[in-house]
Amino acid sequence: DAKTTQPPSMDCAEGRAANLPCNHSTISGNEYVYWYRQIHSQGPQYIIHGLKNNETNEMASLIITEDRKSSTLILPHATLRDTAVYYCIATFRGSNYKLTFGKGTLLTVNP
Amino acid sequence: GAVVSQHPSRVICKSGTSVKIECRSLDFQATTMFWYRQFPKQSLMLMATSNEGSKATYEQGVEKDKFLINHASLTLSTLTVTSAHPEDSSFYICSAGLSTDTQYFGPGTRLTVL
């Protein structure tokens, strides 16, 4: 799996958009970008994934640069419950592929 | 959909005893389940990959005789920590794959060994 780099922490005001960056400059052509988050003392929660096109679901949007060397996860209207560690993982698609978790970004949403 | 449960959520045991943790996919079948361990203030570390009907594949450094994994059905995998010691105290999390897209995680089991 390609290595990913994320800032260790970020802050966001409640109600504002949270933009979480991720660098994956060594990503291969058929590796996907997955995002998970982990709220304190809970199991990780799947958010979104994509290959090269931008993706959107009910939780977030994923913007992948044209060269695929970086991406941004966007939470459009952050709430206090979005405070969590967010993990960006580059891996091959498939439920049988193991996920390698880095240190992630601790997003703190402030009132 | 895509709900994964774990039981128990918390367990406290004495040193030297064995503890079994169950991981179930409640509304889907999973041929592959994964077991992770997370120490305080650290990230998740994959321990092993569990395939239904076959032996688990362990990551380097994980003792297979200490962490016994059984994946007897498409909805159940178990992790048994044998002869637990205080250093085995950790947060154990399982995940299960849904179709070909992604994995879903259980809520985790907090193990404390006294």
Side-chain angles (χ1 to χ4, degrees):
Chain A
D1 295 350
K3 178 180 171 57
T4 60
T5 304
Q6 299 177 251
S9 64
M10 293 182 65
D11 286 294
C12 176
E14 187 177 20
R16 305 298 292 268
N19 298 282
L20 291 90
C22 179
N23 286 319
H24 32 79
S25 58
T26 62
I27 195 169
S28 65
N30 51 355
E31 280 186 296
Y32 283 68
V33 178
Y34 281 79
W35 283 83
Y36 284 81
R37 73 180 182 183
Q38 186 178 26
I39 296 170
H40 184 62
S41 294
Q42 297 182 24
Q45 178 187 22
Y46 166 76
I47 301 174
I48 199 168
H49 74 280
L51 182 62
K52 53 184 178 181
N53 296 323
N54 297 338
E55 302 287 344
T56 295
N57 63 19
E58 64 278 3
M59 288 184 67
S61 294
L62 174 60
I63 308 298
I64 303 175
T65 58
E66 193 169 343
D67 63 8
R68 300 210 326 121
K69 293 184 177 182
S70 65
S71 61
T72 301
L73 178 74
I74 301 173
L75 307 179
H77 306 286
T79 70
L80 299 179
R81 287 179 292 181
D82 291 322
T83 293
V85 178
Y86 287 75
Y87 297 99
C88 167
I89 303 170
T91 188
F92 299 97
R93 179 180 178 179
S95 58
N96 295 335
Y97 288 106
K98 58 185 181 182
L99 300 173
T100 302
F101 286 82
K103 296 183 178 180
T105 295
L106 172 59
L107 174 68
T108 303
V109 181
N110 300 304
Chain B
V3 178
V4 177
S5 70
Q6 282 185 241
H7 178 80
S9 57
R10 291 178 179 270
V11 57
I12 301 173
C13 70
K14 293 181 179 180
S15 185
T17 61
S18 294
V19 174
K20 179 184 285 188
I21 302 170
E22 292 186 349
C23 176
R24 293 180 184 273
S25 55
L26 298 185
D27 49 3
F28 66 100
Q29 294 183 330
T31 56
T32 303
M33 291 184 174
F34 300 85
W35 287 96
Y36 296 80
R37 180 168 54 181
Q38 186 175 33
F39 292 108
K41 298 189 184 300
Q42 295 186 23
S43 190
L44 284 80
M45 293 296 295
L46 179 66
M47 299 176 66
T49 302
S50 167
N51 293 295
E52 187 264 336
S54 63
K55 291 183 178 181
T57 301
Y58 291 82
E59 295 298 302
Q60 189 174 9
V62 178
E63 301 175 57
K64 62 180 181 181
D65 295 329
K66 181 170 183 61
F67 299 99
L68 302 179
I69 292 172
N70 184 278
H71 193 160
S73 77
L74 289 173
T75 59
L76 173 64
S77 176
T78 60
L79 168 69
T80 301
V81 183
T82 63
S83 187
H85 291 285
E87 57 265 30
D88 298 322
S89 297
S90 188
F91 192 47
Y92 291 87
I93 310 168
C94 71
S95 72
L98 176 62
S99 69
T100 60
D101 265 356
T102 191
Q103 296 174 31
Y104 292 87
F105 286 79
T109 297
R110 178 79 57 192
L111 171 64
T112 302
V113 185
L114 303 177

